[in-house]
Amino acid sequence: ERFVRNTLDCVDGLLIANHRSCDASRQILDSLFNEGLPLSVIDAQDLGHRQSAWLTALAAAAAVRLSAGVIIPLDADEFLQLSGDAAARDYLSTIPTDEVRLIRWRAYVPLDTDVETEPDVLRRITHRMMISPHVEKVVVGGNVAAHPAFRLTHGSHEVALGFDAVKCLPDANLYLAHFPVRSAAQFAAKIAVAQLTIPLVPERSPHTGVHYENLRSVTPISLSMTRAEL
């Protein structure tokens, strides 16, 4: 819910791929839709985590069928932010429709001193790494996404037209607040699901999901992790 409301402060609508969720995610999305918020949910039933195919299709649909000027592919643990006092919605409208921009992550981390009962992740987890991992994600102009050969790579870190990578311009004003670790249960489930679903994607890069294996080497990941281990 926090992701949906935060993102809709910045954009005109959301197209959401819900991949075989088994928690309350679908019911939350239905409730937000029934509230009148501009979102549409597609239930992805593939066993494998075919993120590139799903988001490519949704981005192309946004450009071709909805005439979107700018498309921002996000995960539900990413919150779009703009430096300074300007409104993100106004800034996004200035991005040319034939450009692809790159925006940086700011990685937020839970501490064992966080107020565990606070349900709002943006209020509960308030500390971020001084130097975040150098990870960038794309913001895609509508004309690029409307191209018949348009493709988002896994993770939405690059854009291709057929086999050719599209030149991306760094954006110094936008960034993504990233909250990949939120609780022991969430984190353990994330790692377990990734181990099951990423190998089921034949077209994946050999490096897809390697960070999950790296995480497992840092500390034992389980439901019984202490807050300090998390």
Side-chain angles (χ1 to χ4, degrees):
E1 178 180 358
R2 189 64 157 106
F3 164 78
V4 169
R5 294 192 187 280
N6 188 85
T7 306
L8 287 177
D9 283 341
C10 308
V11 302
D12 295 327
L14 273 174
L15 302 180
I16 298 176
N18 174 48
H19 182 214
R20 301 177 70 93
S21 61
C22 55
D23 55 12
S25 293
R26 193 57 162 91
Q27 291 88 336
I28 291 170
L29 293 170
D30 289 343
S31 177
L32 293 168
F33 175 81
N34 292 332
E35 185 181 314
L37 297 184
L39 60 93
S40 180
V41 183
I42 293 89
D43 289 304
Q45 296 298 339
D46 317 59
L47 291 176
H49 186 58
R50 301 184 63 245
Q51 184 189 53
S52 172
W54 302 329
L55 295 189
T56 295
L58 291 181
V64 174
R65 299 176 62 179
L66 302 178
S67 301
V70 176
I71 296 110
I72 308 102
L74 299 173
D75 297 336
D77 60 3
E78 296 169 338
F79 294 81
L80 188 65
Q81 306 287 320
L82 181 69
S83 301
D85 298 325
R89 181 188 295 270
D90 294 338
Y91 180 78
L92 289 169
S93 68
T94 68
I95 296 177
T97 59
D98 58 353
E99 284 188 8
V100 178
R101 299 279 181 90
L102 286 173
I103 53 178
R104 289 287 303 273
W105 265 352
R106 285 183 178 174
Y108 282 74
V109 293
L111 300 181
D112 55 5
T113 54
D114 292 343
V115 180
E116 195 170 12
T117 56
E118 170 58 63
D120 184 343
V121 66
L122 300 188
R123 293 177 182 271
R124 184 173 74 253
I125 302 175
T126 58
H127 292 80
R128 64 182 175 91
M129 297 173 67
M130 185 176 294
I131 301 175
S132 292
H134 191 96
V135 177
E136 297 167 316
K137 301 193 71 168
V138 296
V139 173
V140 186
N143 288 348
V144 178
H147 192 285
F150 164 76
R151 178 171 57 86
L152 284 167
T153 63
H154 188 91
S156 303
H157 303 301
E158 297 176 298
V159 169
L161 296 180
F163 294 104
D164 300 320
V166 174
K167 181 181 179 181
C168 302
L169 305 173
D171 192 297
N173 299 300
L174 290 167
Y175 66 91
L176 292 178
H178 186 216
F179 295 81
V181 180
R182 300 183 295 282
S183 71
Q186 170 266 328
F187 192 49
K190 178 176 184 171
I191 302 300
V193 169
Q195 282 193 303
L196 291 171
T197 60
I198 289 177
L200 297 176
V201 181
E203 65 272 22
R204 72 188 186 282
S205 160
H207 303 295
T208 300
V210 67
H211 56 294
Y212 294 117
E213 292 303 318
N214 293 341
L215 286 167
R216 294 179 65 87
S217 69
V218 173
T219 188
I221 296 170
S222 71
L223 296 176
S224 60
M225 292 176 72
T226 67
R227 295 179 67 189
E229 288 172 333
L230 185 67

